[in-house]
Amino acid sequence: MGENLRRVRRITQMRFGASEPVDTYAQTYARLDAAIASTAARQDILRSQVRAAWEVMRHYSAVTRSYGTRLKALEAVIADEQLAGGQTVDLATTARRMHELAARIEATARHHFEVVRAKESRVEELMQKLTSSKSQLKLAQTAEDHQNRLRALEAAGEQDPLVLGRNRSDHELRDAARLAREAEALAGLKGGWS
């Protein structure tokens, strides 16, 4: 797979000229940073919307309770028949309508709060995925950097005069040189060398 990719790159470079090497990590970092900034701005807006929707819902819950209390008090007065018949029906009808209207508005406010809260949750989830992707990209870049360093050490070891001057059948020396390169590469992977 890797050889095919290199062959395609060589053919493309021969046909279209050598192109500047593209730093895909930097471009991806830039896109991730832009997405994170945009998502953070959206989070701030949604936090404000959630707070406002919460306050509206709380207000209409209190209004509904208040109309419910008034309706119960009116029904208690009607039960005692302290008001004239026509006046009683008008007040009871008005009180029920006001309570029902307040309950519908409260339900609408509650639904709006839940919708805005769900949006905020999705944006928080997106932010977590973006930051996780950025961390994974950093790890991938670090791993690639260390692989490149390992390849450079292997190439340097193959050109080392100490190794080249010896007899190729000297397995012990070649193994020692290989182990030294691997140890240096491992130290680089673990962050011991920079």
Side-chain angles (χ1 to χ4, degrees):
M1 178 78 168
E3 183 60 35
N4 288 337
L5 183 59
R6 282 189 284 272
R7 193 178 87 235
V8 168
R9 281 185 186 154
R10 279 193 307 269
I11 292 170
T12 305
Q13 286 176 352
M14 286 186 327
R15 286 189 183 167
F16 302 109
S19 62
E20 290 286 320
V22 178
D23 186 0
T24 57
Y25 286 114
Q27 291 174 346
T28 306
Y29 272 127
R31 286 195 309 269
L32 278 172
D33 286 338
I36 287 171
S38 174
T39 303
R42 183 70 178 141
Q43 267 184 322
D44 292 342
I45 291 168
L46 283 171
R47 281 188 192 114
S48 298
Q49 289 178 350
V50 166
R51 280 192 300 272
W54 171 255
E55 290 300 323
V56 168
M57 185 183 71
R58 249 177 23 113
H59 169 74
Y60 281 109
S61 292
V63 169
T64 301
R65 282 192 308 273
S66 175
Y67 278 118
T69 302
R70 289 180 187 142
L71 180 59
K72 286 179 186 177
L74 182 60
E75 288 172 345
V77 169
I78 292 172
D80 292 340
E81 296 182 29
Q82 296 175 356
L83 298 174
Q87 189 180 11
T88 305
V89 172
D90 288 343
L91 285 174
T93 302
T94 302
R96 278 190 203 94
R97 277 195 226 153
M98 293 303 290
H99 183 260
E100 290 169 3
L101 177 62
R104 282 195 310 268
I105 292 172
E106 177 191 7
T108 301
R110 186 174 303 281
H111 175 71
H112 179 69
F113 171 74
E114 290 168 358
V115 167
V116 173
R117 181 63 188 114
K119 284 180 186 178
E120 183 186 40
S121 294
R122 286 192 305 269
V123 169
E124 286 173 358
E125 223 174 273
L126 175 62
M127 181 62 93
Q128 289 173 350
K129 287 179 182 177
L130 287 171
T131 54
S132 173
S133 295
K134 189 173 177 180
S135 297
Q136 289 174 357
L137 181 64
K138 179 66 176 163
L139 287 174
Q141 183 182 18
T142 302
E144 184 177 324
D145 290 346
H146 289 301
Q147 287 293 332
N148 291 339
R149 183 177 169 100
L150 179 61
R151 281 188 216 106
L153 289 173
E154 286 175 352
E158 290 172 1
Q159 296 173 359
D160 189 349
L162 180 65
V163 174
L164 290 176
R166 297 288 181 177
N167 186 349
R168 289 290 179 189
S169 63
D170 192 355
H171 296 291
E172 192 174 315
L173 182 59
R174 280 199 326 243
D175 286 344
R178 182 183 52 80
L179 286 174
R181 287 191 308 273
E182 288 176 4
E184 186 174 324
L186 267 175
L189 282 174
K190 292 185 177 183
W193 299 25
S194 54

